[in-house]
C-alpha cells in the first residue's frame, strides 16, 4: 500500500449559475494537481453550481446542466489525478447535495449529504433530499471519508465513516463568514478528530454571493488536534497537502500556517470582498454613492475604493440649505484622500419646485417629517438618474443601527443596489473607520494612511434634514441603541433581558417598537454584507404585519 498521498486543495471562488466558468476553474485546479503529482484534486461543496443556490437548484434544467458538466469534467480529466467536486445530483427521482468523485473518465463514487441545515441562511431541507449514512470512497487503495459541510458538524457521520474504514476525513464546505466563525469551525473539527482518531482536512470556498461571503481559511488537523496547515482567509488558493502513513495511520505533513487576522480586519475584508464580487458577478465595474460628510458614507466610499479602485468610484455631494459647511468640507476631504471623482449637485432648486407643486395640497399644514423626506427622496432620485445614465451601481449607506429601527427614508437614502455596511452597527462603524485609517493591506486598492479624517468620525451624527438636527433627537445615543439592538436582534432577547443588562425599560420598548414597524423597509432594502449570524435578510425573517409586543 502507498505510504504517501497528495491532495491538491482548491480553495476557489465559484459564481452561482456560471456552470461553465466553475467547471473551467475546476479543470485548471486539476491541471495544477496533475503537474504537482497529486493523487486527488478536491474542490468545495456545490462548486459546480456555486453556492448558495437557493431555489435555483430545484430547476430541472439547471441541475441537469450541472450534472452534465460534472460528467464532462470526468471525461476531460481522465488522464491524471482523481477529482472530488460538489454539485447537485438526481438519483431515483431525488435531488441531493452531492460530493462526486471522478476518476479515469467517469464518476466512480457519490457521497450524498445526510444532515441538511435548516437555519440562518440555509433552507436545505426544502431544497434537497437527505442522503443515507454511508461509508468511505476509494482513491487508489486509500479510503477517504467526506462528510459534506454540515455533516462534519455531527458526530454520527464521521463515526460511521471511521467505523467503515475511512483513513482520514476530507470535509468539503460552503461555509459563509460571520464574525469569529473560524473558532466555531475549529472547535467542531477538533471534536471530529478526537472522536474518530483520524486526520481532518477542512476545505472551504471563498468569495461573495449576495449577502454571504465565504472566507476560506481551509485547514488540517492531525490526530490529537494539532494544526498541520492553514490556508489564507478570503484568498483564492491552490495548495498541495501531503499525508503520510506510519505505524499509527495517516498524518498530515506540516505545511504553511497562514496568519489569522483579527475580527476587525476580517469584517472589513468581508465587506470589501462581498462588494467586489457582487459587482463583478452582476456585471458592474463602477459604483457611485452620495457622500454626505458623515461617517457612514465615508466608510462606504472607502470600502468601494478598496474593492474597485478609485477610478471606478464616483462620490456625489447633494447639499441642501441644512447641509453644514463642516459637512461640505469633510465630504470633499474624504473624496480627495480617496482619489475618487467628486460631483457637486445641489438640491435647492429641485426642492423648491417640489415644495411649490405641493403647496396647494399642503396649505395650512405645518412642516414635519414630510419635508425632510422630500430632501432624501430628491437625493435618491438624482443618484438613481446618475446611476442609469452612466451604468454605475448606486451603493446605499445605512448601518445596521439605522436599518434596525428604520432611521432611513425608503425610496430616498435607502435607494441602491448594495449596502456593504448593512450588518455593521453604528458604534462599530466609528471603530472600523479608525481601524482603516491605521491599517492597510495588499488586498486594498485604496491608498494607505488616513482617508477618513477625525472630524468625520468625531462629530455628532446628523441627517441634516432640518436646522440643528442630531440623530440623538430621534434615537437613544448609539451606545445605548446598539446595546439594546444586540440583545433584541442578535441574541433574540427580551425586554427583561435589556433591563437586566442595565438599560431603561422605556428605551428598550421604544426600540422594540421601531424594529417591528420598520420591517416593511427592510423587506425592500438592498442586500448587504453578512457579518453576523443575525443579519437582516435570511438570518432573520419576520412578518411585515405584526402587532405582537413583548409585554413581559
Amino acid at each position: 500500500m502507498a505510504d504517501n498521498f497528495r491532495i491538491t486543495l482548491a480553495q476557489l471562488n465559484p459564481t452561482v449559475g456560471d456552470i461553465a466558468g466553475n467547471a473551467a476553474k475546476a479543470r485548471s485546479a486539476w491541471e495544477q494537481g496533475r503537474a504537482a503529482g497529486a493523487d486527488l484534486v478536491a474542490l468545495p461543496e456545490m462548486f459546480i453550481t456555486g453556492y448558495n443556490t437557493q431555489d435555483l437548484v430545484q430547476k430541472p434544467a439547471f441541475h441537469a446542466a450541472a450534472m452534465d458538466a460534472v460528467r464532462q469534467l470526468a471525461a476531460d480529466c481522465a488522464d491524471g489525478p482523481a477529482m472530488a467536486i460538489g454539485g447537485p445530483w438526481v438519483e431515483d427521482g431525488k435531488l441531493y447535495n452531492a460530493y462526486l468523485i471522478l476518476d479515469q473518465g467517469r464518476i466512480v463514487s457519490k457521497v450524498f449529504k445526510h444532515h441538511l441545515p435548516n437555519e440562518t441562511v440555509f433552507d436545505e431541507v426544502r431544497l434537497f433530499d437527505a442522503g443515507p449514512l454511508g461509508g468511505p470512497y476509494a482513491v487508489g487503495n486509500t479510503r477517504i471519508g467526506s462528510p459534506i459541510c454540515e455533516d462534519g458538524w455531527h458526530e454520527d457521520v464521521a463515526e460511521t465513516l471511521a467505523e467503515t474504514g475511512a483513513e482520514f476525513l476530507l470535509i468539503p464546505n460552503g461555509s459563509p463568514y460571520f464574525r469569529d466563525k473560524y473558532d466555531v469551525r475549529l472547535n467542531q473539527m477538533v471534536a471530529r478528530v478526537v472522536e474518530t482518531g483520524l486526520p481532518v482536512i477542512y476545505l472551504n470556498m471563498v468569495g461573495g454571493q449576495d449577502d454571504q461571503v465565504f472566507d476560506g481559511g481551509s485547514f488540517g488537523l492531525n490526530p490529537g488536534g494539532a494544526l498541520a496547515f492553514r490556508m489564507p482567509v478570503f484568498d483564492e488558493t491552490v495548495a498541495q497537502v501531503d499525508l503520510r502513513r506510519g505505524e499509527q495511520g495517516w498524518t498530515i505533513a506540516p505545511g504553511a500556517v497562514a496568519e489569522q487576522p483579527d475580527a476587525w480586519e476580517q469584517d472589513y475584508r468581508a465587506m470589501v470582498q462581498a462588494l467586489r464580487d457582487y459587482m463583478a458577478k452582476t456585471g458592474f465595474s463602477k459604483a457611485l454613492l452620495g457622500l454626505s460628510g458623515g461617517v457612514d458614507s465615508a466608510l462606504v466610499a472607502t470600502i468601494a475604493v478598496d474593492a474597485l479602485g478609485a477610478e471606478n468610484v464616483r462620490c456625489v455631494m447633494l447639499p441642501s440649505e441644512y447641509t453644514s459647511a463642516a459637512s461640505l468640507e469633510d465630504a470633499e476631504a474624504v473624496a480627495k484622500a480617496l482619489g475618487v471623482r467628486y460631483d457637486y449637485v445641489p438640491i435647492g432648486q429641485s426642492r423648491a419646485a417640489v415644495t411649490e407643486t405641493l403647496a396647494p395640497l399642503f396649505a395650512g399644514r405645518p412642516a414635519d417629517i414630510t419635508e425632510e423626506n422630500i430632501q432624501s427622496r430628491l437625493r435618491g432620485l438624482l443618484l438613481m438618474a446618475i446611476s442609469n445614465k452612466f451604468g454605475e451601481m448606486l451603493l446605499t449607506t445605512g448601518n445596521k443601527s439605522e436599518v434596525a429601527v428604520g432611521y432611513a427614508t425608503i425610496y430616498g437614502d435607502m435607494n441602491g443596489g448594495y449596502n456593504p455596511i448593512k450588518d455593521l452597527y453604528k458604534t462599530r462603524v466609528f471603530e472600523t473607520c479608525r481601524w482603516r485609517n491605521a491599517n492597510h493591506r495588499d488586498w486594498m486598492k485604496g491608498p494607505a494612511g488616513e482617508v477618513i479624517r477625525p472630524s468625520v468620525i468625531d462629530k455628532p451624527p446628523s441627517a441634516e434634514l432640518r436646522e440643528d438636527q442630531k440623530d440623538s433627537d430621534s434615537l437613544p445615543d448609539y451606545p445605548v441603541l446598539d446595546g439594546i439592538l444586540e440583545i433584541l436582534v442578535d441574541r433574540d432577547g427580551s425586554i427583561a433581558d435589556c433591563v437586566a443588562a442595565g438599560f431603561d425599560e422605556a428605551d428598550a420598548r421604544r426600540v422594540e417598537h421601531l424594529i417591528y414597524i420598520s420591517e416593511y423597509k427592510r423587506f425592500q432594502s438592498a442586500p448587504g454584507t453578512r457579518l453576523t449570524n443575525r443579519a437582516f435578510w435570511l438570518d432573520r425573517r419576520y412578518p411585515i404585519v405584526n402587532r405582537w409586543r413583548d409585554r413581559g
Side-chain angles (χ1 to χ4, degrees):
M1 297 178 70
D3 292 325
N4 296 285
F5 193 91
R6 171 166 282 190
I7 302 176
T8 297
L9 282 186
Q11 177 181 285
L12 298 178
N13 182 354
T15 298
V16 166
D18 185 9
I19 293 172
N22 298 337
K25 280 179 177 274
R27 193 176 298 109
S28 175
W30 177 83
E31 289 168 353
Q32 293 177 62
R34 180 171 62 175
D39 298 288
L40 175 66
V41 176
L43 292 115
E45 175 185 21
M46 291 294 287
F47 188 83
I48 196 66
T49 59
Y51 195 63
N52 190 334
T53 60
Q54 300 186 67
D55 288 5
L56 178 62
V57 76
Q58 293 187 315
K59 192 174 184 67
F62 179 74
H63 60 241
M67 294 164 66
D68 287 343
V70 173
R71 294 186 186 101
Q72 188 61 52
L73 270 178
D76 293 345
C77 300
D79 184 20
M83 178 189 290
I85 186 168
W89 200 261
V90 174
E91 200 157 281
D92 298 327
K94 295 181 177 181
L95 178 64
Y96 297 104
N97 178 332
Y99 204 49
L100 306 158
I101 317 306
L102 323 180
D103 199 13
Q104 299 181 354
R106 61 193 183 91
I107 299 170
V108 296
S109 296
K110 307 182 193 80
V111 179
F112 297 146
K113 194 170 184 177
H114 177 67
H115 291 287
L116 301 176
N118 198 48
E119 59 186 2
T120 64
V121 298
F122 300 107
D123 286 312
E124 291 204 355
V125 168
R126 66 187 291 271
L127 299 177
F128 297 107
D129 290 284
L133 281 172
Y137 54 88
V139 175
N141 56 15
T142 302
R143 292 166 297 175
I144 305 168
S146 282
I148 301 172
C149 199
E150 183 80 5
D151 285 347
W153 294 51
H154 294 265
E155 62 183 47
D156 58 343
V157 178
E159 288 183 349
T160 298
L161 288 166
E163 290 166 0
T164 52
E167 297 171 72
F168 60 85
L169 301 180
L170 168 63
I171 304 179
N173 292 269
S175 178
Y177 174 79
F178 61 73
R179 196 174 299 137
D180 299 322
K181 182 75 169 284
Y182 174 77
D183 293 338
V184 179
R185 295 176 185 137
L186 185 62
N187 289 337
Q188 287 287 341
M189 295 307 106
V190 167
R192 301 295 86 78
V193 170
V194 170
E195 291 155 4
T196 64
L198 300 177
V200 167
I201 296 171
Y202 180 101
L203 172 61
N204 194 23
M205 67 173 61
V206 293
Q209 169 58 33
D210 294 348
D211 67 319
Q212 296 159 51
V213 59
F214 299 89
D215 55 319
S218 305
F219 60 90
L221 300 174
N222 272 318
L227 184 67
F229 70 90
R230 183 169 61 214
M231 294 165 72
V233 291
F234 298 102
D235 291 334
E236 284 196 300
T237 309
V238 176
Q240 312 305 325
V241 175
D242 292 314
L243 293 101
R244 297 168 185 159
R245 191 201 310 268
E247 292 182 1
Q248 303 301 317
W250 290 95
T251 57
I252 305 168
V257 177
E259 179 185 358
Q260 188 70 12
D262 65 20
W264 294 99
E265 179 169 342
Q266 290 202 53
D267 271 8
Y268 191 80
R269 179 72 187 272
M271 291 184 286
V272 169
Q273 191 67 48
L275 177 60
R276 184 179 291 165
D277 278 344
Y278 190 80
M279 296 282 291
K281 292 178 180 182
T282 55
F284 284 85
S285 59
K286 295 181 180 292
L288 81 148
L289 65 139
L291 193 63
S292 68
V295 69
D296 299 314
S297 62
L299 180 57
V300 171
T302 306
I303 291 168
V305 169
D306 282 338
L308 308 172
E311 70 278 10
N312 293 312
V313 179
R314 179 200 302 259
C315 292
V316 186
M317 164 55 89
L318 302 108
S320 74
E321 66 268 35
Y322 301 118
T323 304
S324 67
S327 291
L328 293 171
E329 292 170 5
D330 285 338
E332 186 173 5
V334 169
K336 285 182 175 178
L338 292 172
V340 299
R341 173 168 178 163
Y342 179 66
D343 292 319
Y344 185 82
V345 183
I347 66 168
Q349 287 183 315
S350 300
R351 183 168 181 251
V354 172
T355 301
E356 183 179 350
T357 300
L358 291 171
L361 192 63
F362 288 1
R365 290 180 176 269
D368 55 20
I369 196 172
T370 306
E371 284 72 21
E372 295 181 27
N373 286 343
I374 286 171
Q375 296 172 66
S376 182
R377 291 188 175 119
L378 278 171
R379 292 183 172 116
L381 171 69
L382 296 171
L383 288 168
M384 283 305 304
I386 297 168
S387 173
N388 291 160
K389 185 62 70 176
F390 295 101
E392 299 165 351
M393 181 180 286
L394 176 60
L395 305 180
T396 185
T397 61
N399 60 69
K400 188 174 185 177
S401 309
E402 295 170 349
V403 171
V405 298
Y407 194 64
T409 304
I410 195 164
Y411 321 124
D413 57 323
M414 288 179 66
N415 280 3
Y418 202 74
N419 180 359
I421 66 169
K422 186 177 182 179
D423 199 27
L424 197 67
Y425 283 125
K426 185 79 167 192
T427 46
R428 291 190 75 94
V429 168
F430 295 129
E431 291 306 315
T432 301
C433 291
R434 296 186 179 101
W435 180 90
R436 175 56 178 84
N437 280 342
N439 294 274
H440 192 268
R441 302 289 183 264
D442 291 343
W443 45 264
M444 299 175 181
K445 294 187 176 184
E450 182 181 283
V451 290
I452 304 172
R453 68 185 192 178
S455 57
V456 176
I457 304 169
D458 297 336
K459 66 186 176 186
S462 171
E464 294 192 324
L465 296 175
R466 64 174 183 266
E467 198 71 41
D468 295 325
Q469 184 182 33
K470 301 289 184 293
D471 288 6
S472 55
D473 298 337
S474 304
L475 300 171
D477 287 337
Y478 281 111
V480 173
L481 176 62
D482 290 356
I484 294 171
L485 289 172
E486 186 179 350
I487 293 170
L488 296 180
V489 175
D490 296 57
R491 301 185 209 167
D492 224 4
S494 66
I495 299 295
D497 294 327
C498 295
V499 173
F503 295 107
D504 181 77
E505 181 177 342
D507 283 343
R509 292 197 182 279
R510 179 178 168 214
V511 171
E512 180 204 46
H513 177 70
L514 291 172
I515 292 170
Y516 286 144
I517 66 169
S518 302
E519 199 64 47
Y520 80 101
K521 290 187 179 182
R522 288 189 290 274
F523 191 82
Q524 300 178 67
S525 65
T529 312
R530 177 182 188 251
L531 301 175
T532 69
N533 61 354
R534 292 297 282 173
F536 289 120
W537 195 32
L538 298 178
D539 282 313
R540 184 185 183 280
R541 310 177 209 187
Y542 271 63
I544 295 172
V545 176
N546 170 24
R547 297 182 72 171
W548 185 86
R549 298 294 183 269
D550 182 358
R551 304 302 181 192

